[in-house]
Amino acid sequence: MDRLIYTIGYSAFANIDDFLNQLKEYHINVLIDVRSVPVASEFYQMYSNSYLNPYLKQNNIIYRNYAKEFGARQENIEYYENGYLNFNKFIKSNIFYSGIDKIDQGINLGYKFVLMCAEKDPIMCHRTIMVARGFKNHGYKIKHILADGSTKTQEDIEKQLVDLYFPNRQQLSLFEHKTFNEYVEEAYQKQNEKIGFKKELVA
């Protein structure tokens, strides 16, 4: 059985019915909210869990919040370095693995999952740079649903990251001799530094 998981950013859909139509288009029947605080701004208040949960239930889609397993604002300071959450460290934790195990069990039962957060652009969200990366490391295929209904794979995101941070890598490769995968790892880290949740660590 293919291990496939989708992601989506609700701010791409001002109209929640358009959001729902995208979930139905991809036959998704379980939404995993990866926000640490599942409350939206006033403009997107229909995406707060108090509204979203019953709305999805009415449309035969299960809602779950996995803030502990997949949230960007982890409480345990052991996952923080230089004041921000180290995504690569957290996705190797038992907490993160427990979330993947739950998804595995659901897929074995025939459910189709989407990871939801707020950011419209997947490259700017921890659902992509942290959570989807962790799933890819576990052999999952990832498809990020975009505002126009098309998708990007995690491999598309990785190429985009490398192009963003190493646009001159062809020239650099004459001196550095890095593989594409090494550039990918560095690009993930740079994006982690940019978007990772900042936490003041008390000595």
Side-chain angles (χ1 to χ4, degrees), residues 73-89:
R73 302 184 184 189
Q74 294 297 317
E75 292 299 319
N76 193 330
I77 63 171
E78 73 173 282
Y79 302 119
Y80 288 80
E81 287 184 2
N82 302 313
Y84 63 88
L85 183 70
N86 184 309
F87 293 168
N88 195 39
K89 180 179 284 189

Side-chain angles (χ1 to χ4, degrees), residues 152-193:
K152 278 186 179 179
T153 66
Q154 193 71 9
E155 289 78 10
D156 292 333
I157 293 290
E158 290 175 350
K159 184 178 185 305
Q160 187 180 349
L161 282 170
V162 171
D163 288 344
L164 174 65
Y165 286 108
F166 303 103
N168 300 315
R169 64 185 180 278
Q170 298 302 329
Q171 292 93 317
L172 292 172
S173 66
L174 296 173
F175 308 100
E176 294 185 340
H177 306 293
K178 289 183 179 178
T179 66
F180 181 77
N181 285 340
E182 287 174 324
Y183 280 120
V184 168
E185 292 301 308
E186 286 192 40
Y188 269 126
Q189 182 58 35
K190 288 179 180 294
Q191 193 69 350
N192 183 177
E193 293 173 14

Side-chain angles (χ1 to χ4, degrees), residues 11-24:
S11 63
F13 306 93
N15 185 325
I16 196 168
D17 292 331
D18 293 338
F19 174 83
L20 177 67
N21 287 337
Q22 287 304 320
L23 301 187
K24 290 182 175 180

Side-chain angles (χ1 to χ4, degrees), residues 18 44 64 112 118-119 160 167 171 176 189 199-200:
D18 293 338
Y44 292 102
R64 294 288 185 270
K112 293 190 75 171
E119 288 287 345
Q160 187 180 349
Q171 292 93 317
E176 294 185 340
Q189 182 58 35
K199 186 181 183 74
E200 185 175 348

Side-chain angles (χ1 to χ4, degrees), residues 45-67:
Q45 61 184 336
M46 70 287 291
Y47 294 105
S48 292
N49 65 337
S50 58
Y51 182 93
L52 185 61
N53 188 356
Y55 175 79
L56 292 175
K57 187 176 182 179
Q58 290 169 10
N59 288 280
N60 301 311
I61 297 174
I62 298 168
Y63 170 93
R64 294 288 185 270
N65 178 257
Y66 281 16

